[in-house]
Amino acid sequence: RSDKIIEKLHVLQLLLLNKEREVIQMTKALLFDIDDTLYDLAQPFYQAYQEVFSKADEESRKSRDTDWMERLFLASRKYSDEIFAVAQTQKISEEEMFIYRIKQPLADFGEKISEQKAMEFQKAYEKYQRQITLSETIRQLLELCRSQYILGIITNGLSAHQRNKIQILKLEQYIPKEQIFVSGEVGVPKPAPEIFAHALHKLGIAPAQAYFIGDSFENDMIGAKNAGMSAIWFHRRGPFVSGEIQPDYTVRSESGLYSLIQKQFIHQKI
């Protein structure tokens, strides 16, 4: 009896594997997020924090966990997404957005700062954002993919800010400008299915023929899956998320993402 159960499980695994291969064989396009996907967004954040708040008193420093900075960064991402969503429906200035997304996470950790200090942080953050680069692994990944797949980008943010990052990262060497979609230009942000549908329409690709790769579970994974796409969660940091909607694959590092794409996607197409 146990042998029959094992045999049935084996057959089920083979069926799932074949289904997975069929989906990959159908895939014609790989679309990426930018922030914390194609480059490590935490680095300019850490650098700006060290520059602006490096004079914090010694007692505060001693009370912090070793992962304190990472938790602060994750909190800042949450508040950044929150205020960006609000900005889509309400009239708030860029400065108000910038102040909110650093003041609130610091307040959660018991640190109060002035609006002036928040803008000082923003200026330092923008300075380090101008120094971002693609890692060698990500460059190799894009080079590997572009000969076999249509590549695209769907990113949330203000047009000028995101286009500036695209220029700094030299992404148009791999992905044509017309295949890069910025929420500030499209008029609707992720996770709304409309921005994914807009991009797919422009690319001439059906949802079932595309994978989306991003770091945000809500914006990227839920957004892409609700739009009918498959999805790879590039989960650089933070806890895992459970729920009805789950990504097709999850990776924790750039090397892990490269290995997954090379093994599951490139070899399947040759």
Side-chain angles (χ1 to χ4, degrees), residues 14-74:
L14 287 175
L15 288 172
L16 289 172
L17 182 61
N18 287 335
K19 181 65 176 178
E20 183 179 282
R21 285 174 177 167
E22 287 176 12
V23 172
I24 292 173
Q25 288 289 351
M26 289 172 56
T27 303
K28 294 184 178 180
L30 299 176
L31 284 77
F32 295 85
D33 171 53
I34 293 180
D35 295 306
D36 225 25
T37 298
L38 291 178
Y39 77 98
D40 187 350
L41 182 61
Q43 291 310 307
F45 181 90
Y46 295 161
Q47 290 170 311
Y49 183 89
Q50 292 299 330
E51 178 177 314
V52 176
F53 302 110
S54 60
K55 295 179 181 179
D57 66 86
E58 197 63 28
E59 287 305 311
S60 292
R61 288 171 182 263
K62 287 178 181 177
S63 67
R64 294 171 186 166
D65 307 311
T66 53
D67 66 342
W68 186 89
M69 186 68 78
E70 181 172 296
R71 289 187 291 118
L72 177 65
F73 170 72
L74 289 171

Side-chain angles (χ1 to χ4, degrees), residues 90-104:
Q90 299 179 24
K91 290 286 185 180
I92 61 173
S93 68
E94 284 188 27
E95 185 170 311
E96 287 174 311
M97 286 178 59
F98 298 150
I99 290 169
Y100 180 85
R101 68 186 190 183
I102 187 60
K103 277 193 75 173
Q104 289 303 122

Side-chain angles (χ1 to χ4, degrees), residues 159-177:
S159 176
H161 286 197
Q162 297 309 96
R163 288 293 173 186
N164 191 43
K165 291 174 193 173
I166 290 161
Q167 183 177 9
I168 292 167
L169 292 169
K170 301 177 181 178
L171 286 171
E172 289 182 19
Q173 290 183 7
Y174 308 95
I175 304 172
K177 182 178 181 179

Side-chain angles (χ1 to χ4, degrees), residues 93-203:
S93 68
E94 284 188 27
E95 185 170 311
E96 287 174 311
M97 286 178 59
F98 298 150
I99 290 169
Y100 180 85
R101 68 186 190 183
I102 187 60
K103 277 193 75 173
Q104 289 303 122
L106 281 170
D108 286 353
F109 285 83
E111 294 196 14
K112 295 182 179 180
I113 62 169
S114 65
E115 293 187 355
Q116 181 181 354
K117 200 70 173 175
M119 284 308 297
E120 188 180 334
F121 171 84
Q122 176 63 28
K123 289 177 182 178
Y125 180 65
E126 289 178 359
K127 178 180 73 174
Y128 290 113
Q129 277 271 346
R130 291 191 289 272
Q131 299 173 19
I132 57 175
T133 60
L134 295 180
S135 70
E136 185 59 31
T137 301
I138 294 297
R139 281 197 291 269
Q140 290 177 4
L141 173 66
L142 294 174
E143 193 65 49
L144 181 72
C145 294
R146 69 173 179 167
S147 63
Q148 294 191 27
Y149 292 95
I150 295 169
L151 299 185
I153 285 172
I154 304 176
T155 178
N156 275 0
L158 302 171
S159 176
H161 286 197
Q162 297 309 96
R163 288 293 173 186
N164 191 43
K165 291 174 193 173
I166 290 161
Q167 183 177 9
I168 292 167
L169 292 169
K170 301 177 181 178
L171 286 171
E172 289 182 19
Q173 290 183 7
Y174 308 95
I175 304 172
K177 182 178 181 179
E178 60 271 18
Q179 292 171 206
I180 299 174
F181 306 93
V182 180
S183 69
E185 298 167 358
V186 177
V188 60
K190 298 179 292 183
E194 289 84 357
I195 190 169
F196 295 94
H198 172 82
L200 293 171
H201 175 72
K202 291 292 185 181
L203 295 174

